């Protein structure tokens, strides 16, 4: 059966002008980059704007690689001005995927957050015109020194990844965002500046990382090393000595706005970081400073002293070959000039010039074939790809490949349509369409429609090819390549094959290819062969056009309209558990429920048996449960009672869920879809396991807690697992401001930044404390202290104090305070095993009403006492807790639970008695 679509996620794609792939003749291999770089062509990628931007890229050779540490470090204004305005090839190498940050749009942290921020960088590059690349580095959190960063990221391995990026992209100019000195602040910033300089110096040395040369790259020595002047933070600042100023605020008639305005839309894709920016019109500048150069005439401009001409690439060829190739390149430039001259509001008159440009590139490729000029070959491939894109854009020809389902499973047959829309006034001659599954999946042609009797696509018409793709039963699921294996410390593991190294994500499983020739009214046009140029009988020239696009799903939402999703291959049956992890207070013998969810995407559904396998010393009832799922998309939740059957020794215990279907297949893995409307959807897989951490933790009996979520964390669930009753307060309940039925109010991380309702009822929150309640306010940023929301004076300085080394010792300042005595006795051992950091956004100054509870510091820094402050407020208690509890919840760190249990168990009377001692 051919599966039809089941709509699950709705999103609207952000696009300006995307890349496509053309391949022909002698350039076939070079014109086939990893299919992960392919994007489906849409109507936004054809026509005047698309063609005009492509024409800017067709002359000369200018490549710029920017290097920094994180998503959002890049200077998007600079990248946009180069890629969109100057037509240069740009790429941004982010050492990390931002995995260690905080998430303002959802609950994902660590790897899940890295997936989101990878998507945000992809969305940003779609707008500003660059490529996106990564190293293996995992963002382990804030660091204060390069030494720490280059220890957790093994220096030589990180350097190898940056060298790989340089050798793969082959930039003429490397731009380091950071200096590699303590002035960069974040230790990961410093590390990025250090390895950028080192890689610039040695990427051209074949003796360094010689194993990379076996993977198809060659040594490459960039000509210039620049550093951003950070002008984006002070756009009106006077130029510093030696600064190369790049105007980014000029109006661009093709874009309809300035590079800066496009850059701000690009920057606004970093939604998980709260990076929305206004698109301010008017003059604006970016800037860079020369750090090093391999040419004497390096001053005055980004590319001064660098031969960026196409003809310059013929050096080293035999004289006769160089002469012939130079002639063909001159013909190419003349043809491009004619296309530009003919280009206007109607781009169609530029078609003839672009046809000639493609033919000239093919002749140049034939001339240099066999002479080993890798750089020239790569440039010819890139220029032909751009020329074909521009040719299709000016001719109004759009190719799109659409799967009829957004989610497919192994063993399924899915229908795929390839659409070739000839929206121009030329005839598309002898089109040929094929599907190329990357793993050799079987493909059958179902039918073709829309062609003329002689096999052409007439002007203004649409031709359709329908295929059936058989997804093998052993097909790989859409697991992101860098998450296929566990990390080596703070480094991801990449697959052995180098084709994916550094890419944002895996390629599409299926790519559609179309080849055709472009005819003209009154002209006889022969079918072009795979080599490139042909000469029809009347002497007029034509070229083959070969173009690729990945499959994608295109659906319609009745409220939002058309949306686009990447096609994902997901398991036939998936299994997940809830909760995936829980804390179990030691000594609590009553059973708890673990819910197992089984889900299928198989057309005929699935049926079988579910089991939750207990570890030694635990009992699960019932032993198994039957399930029956009638159709694709169906799921069922099954509950199991979990009870300790022996002594409850503190530690970790893992329960594993397994679904066994009638055909004997077993499934023990589930997935979540990371799906936000500004990024491409991705699947994050996890074993169907529940980890139970038995912890000696107690909370005050009968405690009722109200939890006000901030930017998203598991605090409310952590409190519930410890045995307290928790109400998660929605916006209506918060705005109502009546908390009198609660004992404690807990505010989630950055609640004052993320929620206007919290800011508006701050006085009522303080009134709750004044009336005898306890308020526990987790860490906030500067908006909190600058808004004077605390009950007594409290300042978070800039930069905010923090302790980033999670293993640093912690001194308990008031060991007899109820914070540390009731109901759990807290000692220094409770600060063992913490992850990523001790805390962040500590208070730097505070009123005498607050009592600091803890003292800690990073190596070489003064003692910090602003991580945990407690103060009386009327009859109640107010706590500012800047420790990173939110990071400890997901890792079930025992001491963090025990300390937080004491904070929510505080009794104002006991606190006052402590103060009055």
């Amino acid at each position: 059966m051919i599966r039809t679509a089941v709509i699950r996620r709705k999103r609207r794609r952000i696009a300006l002008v995307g890349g496509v792939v053309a391949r022909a003749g002698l350039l076939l291999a070079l014109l086939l980059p990893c299919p992960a770089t392919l994007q489906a062509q849409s109507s936004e990628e054809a026509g005047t704007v698309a063609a005009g931007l492509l024409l800017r890229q067709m002359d000369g050779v200018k490549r710029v690689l920017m290097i920094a540490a994180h998503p959002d470090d890049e200077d998007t204004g600079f990248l946009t001005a180069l890629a969109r305005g100057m037509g240069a090839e740009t790429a941004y190498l982010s050492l990390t995927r931002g995995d260690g940050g905080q998430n303002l749009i959802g609950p994902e942290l660590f790897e899940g957050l890295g997936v989101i921020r990878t998507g945000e960088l992809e969305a940003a590059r779609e707008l500003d015109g660059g490529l996106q690349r990564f190293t293996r580095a995992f963002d382990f959190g804030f660091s204060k020194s390069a030494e720490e960063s280059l220890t957790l990221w093994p220096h030589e391995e990180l350097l190898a990844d940056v060298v790989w990026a340089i050798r793969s992209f082959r930039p003429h100019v490397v731009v380091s965002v950071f200096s590699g000195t303590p002035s960069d602040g974040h230790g990961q910033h410093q590390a990025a500046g250090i390895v950028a300089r080192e890689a610039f110096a040695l990427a051209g040395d074949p003796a360094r990382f010689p194993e990379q040369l076996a993977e198809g790259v060659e040594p490459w020595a960039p000509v210039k090393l620049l550093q951003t002047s950070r002008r984006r933070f002070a756009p009106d600042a006077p130029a510093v000595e030696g600064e190369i100023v790049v105007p980014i605020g000029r109006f661009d008639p093709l874009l309809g706005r300035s590079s800066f305005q496009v850059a701000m839309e690009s920057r606004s894709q970093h939604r998980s970081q709260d990076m929305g920016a206004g698109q301010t019109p008017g003059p604006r500048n970016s800037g860079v400073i020369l750090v090093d150069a391999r040419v004497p005439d390096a001053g005055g401009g980004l590319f001064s002293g660098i031969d960026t001409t196409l003809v310059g690439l013929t050096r080293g060829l035999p004289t006769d070959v160089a002469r012939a190739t130079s002639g063909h390149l001159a013909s190419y430039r003349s043809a491009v000039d004619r296309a530009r001259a003919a280009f206007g509001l109607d781009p169609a008159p530029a078609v003839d010039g672009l046809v000639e440009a493609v033919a000239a590139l093919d002749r140049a490729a034939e001339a240099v074939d066999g002479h080993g000029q890798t750089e020239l070959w790569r440039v010819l491939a890139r220029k032909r790809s751009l020329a074909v894109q521009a040719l299709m854009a000016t001719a109004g020809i759009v190719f799109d490949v659409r799967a009829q389902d957004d989610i497919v499973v192994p063993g399924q047959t899915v229908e795929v349509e390839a659409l070739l829309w000839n929206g121009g006034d030329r005839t598309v001659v002898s089109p040929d369409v094929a599907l190329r599954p990357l793993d050799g999946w079987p493909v059958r042609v179902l039918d073709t429609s829309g062609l003329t009797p002689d096999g052409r696509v007439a002007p203004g018409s649409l031709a359709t090819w329908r295929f059936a793709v058989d997804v093998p039963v052993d097909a790989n699921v859409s697991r992101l390549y860098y998450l296929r294996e566990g990390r080596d410390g703070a480094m991801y593991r990449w697959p052995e094959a180098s084709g994916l190294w550094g890419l944002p994500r895996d390629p599409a499983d299926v790519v559609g290819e179309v080849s055709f020739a472009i005819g003209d009214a009154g002209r006889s046009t022969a079918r072009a062969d795979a080599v490139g140029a042909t000469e029809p009988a009347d002497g007029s020239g034509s070229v083959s056009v070969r173009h690729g696009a990945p499959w994608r799903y295109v659906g319609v939402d009745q409220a939002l309209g058309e949306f686009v999703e990447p096609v994902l291959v997901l398991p036939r049956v998936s299994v997940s558990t809830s909760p995936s992890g829980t804390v179990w207070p030691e000594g609590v013998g009553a059973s708890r429920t673990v819910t197992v969810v089984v889900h299928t995407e198989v057309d005929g559904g699935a049926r079988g048996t579910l089991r939750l396998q207990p570890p030694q010393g635990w009992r699960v009832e019932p032993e198994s449960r039957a399930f029956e799922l009638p159709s694709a998309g169906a799921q069922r939740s099954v509950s199991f009672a979990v009870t300790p059957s022996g002594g409850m020794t503190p530690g970790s215990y893992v329960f594993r869920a397994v679904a066994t279907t009638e055909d004997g297949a077993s499934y023990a893995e589930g997935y979540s879809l990371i799906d936000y409307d500004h990024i491409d959807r991705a699947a994050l897989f996890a074993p169907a396991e529940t980890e139970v951490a038995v912890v000696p933790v107690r909370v005050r009996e009968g405690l009722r807690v109200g939890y006000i979520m901030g930017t998203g964390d598991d605090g409310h669930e952590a409190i519930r697992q410890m045995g307290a009753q928790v109400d998660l307060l929605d916006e209506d309940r918060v705005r109502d401001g009546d908390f009198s039925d609660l004992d404690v109010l807990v505010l989630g991380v950055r609640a004052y930044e993320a929620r206007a309702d919290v800011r508006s009822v701050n006085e009522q929150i303080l009134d709750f404390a004044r009336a005898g309640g306890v308020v526990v306010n987790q860490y906030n940023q500067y908006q909190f202290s600058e808004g004077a929301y605390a009950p007594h004076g409290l300042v978070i300085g800039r930069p905010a104090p923090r302790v980033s080394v999670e293993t640093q010792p912690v001194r308990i300042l008031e060991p007899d305070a109820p914070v540390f005595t009731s109901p759990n006795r807290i000692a220094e051992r409770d600060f063992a095993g913490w992850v990523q950091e001790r805390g962040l956004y500590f208070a730097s100054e505070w009123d005498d009403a607050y009592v600091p509870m803890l003292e800690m510091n990073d190596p070489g820094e003064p003692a910090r006492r602003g991580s945990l402050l407690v103060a009386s407020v009327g009859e109640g208690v107010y706590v500012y807790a800047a420790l990173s509890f939110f990071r400890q919840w997901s890792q079930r760190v025992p001491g963090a639970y025990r300390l937080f249990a004491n904070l929510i168990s505080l009794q104002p009377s006991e606190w006052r008695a402590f103060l009055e001692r």
Side-chain angles (χ1 to χ4, degrees), residues 24 275 559:
M275 286 287 175

Side-chain angles (χ1 to χ4, degrees), residues 376-400:
L376 179 54
W377 271 90
R378 289 176 181 270
V379 170
L380 290 174
R382 172 62 177 165
K383 294 304 179 186
R384 194 182 198 281
S385 176
L386 291 170
V388 168
Q389 293 178 58
L391 177 56
M392 293 181 68
T394 54
I397 298 172
V398 176
F399 180 61
D400 198 1

Side-chain angles (χ1 to χ4, degrees), residues 251-268:
F251 180 80
D252 187 320
L254 279 177
L255 300 174
R257 47 187 172 161
S258 68
S259 292
F260 174 76
Q261 290 175 298
V262 174
M264 291 305 97
E265 185 178 354
S266 168
R267 191 159 190 79
S268 295

